[in-house]
Amino acid sequence: MAIFFGPKEVKKFLEINKVHKSLGQNFLIDKNVCTKIADFSSYEKGYVIEIGPGLGNLTQFLAKKFEKVITIEIDFRFIPILNKNLKKFNNIKIVNSDALKIDLFDLISKFSNQAKKTSICANLPYSIATLLIIKLLELPVSRITVMIQKELAFRLLSPPGAKLCGAISVPVWFYSTPKLIFNVSRNCFLPIPNVDSCVVSFELNKIENIENKEFLFKISRISFLHRRKTVFNSLSKGLNIPKSKIICALNYLNLDENIRPENLTLSNFLDLSHLLGNFL
Ligand code: SAM
């Protein structure tokens, strides 16, 4: 039987081991939350990739729901614990690697195949959540379910043009439709983090193969660099395009010359990237 690391076991682990705060090592100690995440993420069986198994609490629930679990952990100290504790499962592959550096496309094609649907499920470390989510959204997977800190969740759930949106909203809503699944109290983790969390799922959109998607994301990053500045000021400086040309593009799109980045919708960003691409 695999051990579930509840409050007692995690406290014992923490007495002997120091956690790396920079790696977001807050362990989920609530069985109900693990069950709910595994149930939700496994609506299609098949393969799942987990990022950051830690002590393996969520991993063991995923192993009961999916045909195969490939779990990637950066901290080598967890590998022997995972190997020992999860050995009764013959469908878990533990990889000691950095999820930001590993070639996830290659991993998926090696362990999965066309016939098998692959999902992603993770309690993401805060420090890399933003970067990793963009990377995950580019993968050929059927569903992504992640637990992230509440503030980041609210930002991602806000489409471009909504009050809380930010630069990341553009790639997130370009690739997917994010949905809030449920909230998780900070008391479900040890050590207790400073903020609550949310489980968010990303239903992937059918993407037209737009050539200048990197340029689209660049425009959103530059526009939001100075939230209080007008879009034409930021873009003209950031892209080194004369202000007159940016104003011309905004006029052509019937957008106010003094528009701020949080007022641009995804389709505005797409139109702008098409037009401005011609000036480069
Ligand atoms: N899944 C476990 C749970 O729910 O209790 C642990 C989650 S904890 C929030 C994040 C985990 O991600 C830690 O185990 C940490 O070591 C790991 N991690 C941090 N950065 C990583 C990276 N770049 N690649 C892979 N794992 C990483």
Side-chain angles (χ1 to χ4, degrees):
M1 258 277 285
I3 296 169
F4 183 84
F5 283 74
K8 224 171 76 191
E9 291 78 11
V10 174
K11 272 185 192 149
K12 211 166 146 196
F13 173 84
L14 294 174
E15 275 165 19
I16 309 166
N17 300 279
K18 274 208 166 125
V19 286
H20 294 307
K21 272 196 179 162
S22 61
L23 294 179
Q25 291 176 342
N26 301 91
F27 306 103
L28 185 55
I29 49 162
D30 188 307
K31 267 190 189 173
N32 286 332
V33 176
C34 290
T35 310
K36 273 169 80 176
I37 297 176
D39 282 350
F40 178 81
S41 60
S42 61
Y43 84 112
E44 267 182 305
K45 307 284 175 250
Y47 287 54
V48 66
I49 296 181
E50 185 196 20
I51 316 285
L55 296 165
N57 273 356
L58 178 59
T59 321
Q60 48 189 281
F61 285 83
L62 295 176
K64 288 177 198 156
K65 288 281 173 181
F66 285 91
E67 212 174 300
K68 179 137 190 138
V69 183
I70 298 135
T71 189
I72 307 164
E73 173 58 59
I74 195 170
D75 190 337
F76 68 89
R77 295 176 306 161
F78 295 129
I79 306 302
I81 301 173
L82 291 166
N83 277 331
K84 189 170 167 212
N85 195 32
L86 302 175
K87 71 167 180 265
K88 95 158 204 181
F89 295 98
N90 57 9
N91 61 341
I92 301 178
K93 163 96 187 155
I94 300 161
V95 182
N96 183 200
S97 184
D98 181 342
L100 282 176
K101 293 196 181 138
I102 196 169
D103 185 340
L104 291 168
F105 270 99
D106 188 51
L107 194 77
I108 289 177
S109 55
K110 249 192 214 142
F111 289 106
S112 181
N113 62 48
Q114 290 300 322
K116 304 238 183 275
K117 294 262 180 199
T118 303
S119 308
I120 307 268
C121 183
N123 172 14
L124 285 184
Y126 180 67
S127 47
I128 60 161
T130 310
L131 267 178
L132 197 57
I133 285 170
I134 302 297
K135 209 172 139 123
L136 298 178
L137 285 167
E138 294 180 339
L139 296 172
V141 294
S142 58
R143 180 186 275 191
I144 300 171
T145 309
V146 291
M147 177 139 63
I148 48 178
Q149 295 201 339
K150 206 168 180 171
E151 284 69 15
L152 176 61
F154 284 178
R155 186 152 298 242
L156 302 187
L157 290 162
S158 299
K163 201 172 162 209
L164 287 178
C165 72
I168 192 176
S169 309
V170 172
V172 164
W173 283 79
F174 173 78
Y175 284 120
S176 73
T177 308
K179 282 201 184 88
L180 174 65
I181 308 305
F182 59 92
N183 295 310
V184 182
S185 157
R186 67 193 76 181
N187 297 316
C188 295
F189 302 91
L190 265 181
I192 301 177
N194 295 328
V195 288
D196 295 323
S197 289
C198 295
V199 174
V200 176
S201 92
F202 301 86
E203 304 294 332
L204 297 175
N205 298 334
K206 282 208 162 62
I207 306 286
E208 297 155 49
N209 202 7
I210 80 156
E211 276 168 26
N212 57 353
K213 102 187 146 183
E214 291 315 321
F215 186 56
L216 167 72
F217 303 155
K218 186 174 175 182
I219 282 189
S220 79
R221 279 196 306 274
I222 294 174
S223 300
F224 279 100
L225 216 58
H226 305 285
R227 237 184 139 83
R228 287 175 189 279
K229 275 195 181 172
T230 53
V231 169
F232 87 79
N233 254 317
S234 303
L235 287 181
S236 157
K237 217 174 178 179
L239 295 173
N240 206 12
I241 294 177
K243 282 183 184 167
S244 57
K245 287 196 170 167
I246 311 257
I247 289 183
C248 188
L250 290 170
N251 285 340
Y252 183 79
L253 298 171
N254 279 329
L255 293 169
D256 190 309
E257 288 177 9
N258 293 314
I259 199 158
R260 312 261 160 186
E262 64 271 25
N263 297 119
L264 290 174
T265 63
L266 179 60
S267 91
N268 293 154
F269 272 112
L270 278 162
D271 289 342
L272 262 180
S273 73
H274 286 311
L275 283 179
L276 298 181
N278 299 327
F279 296 143
L280 294 176

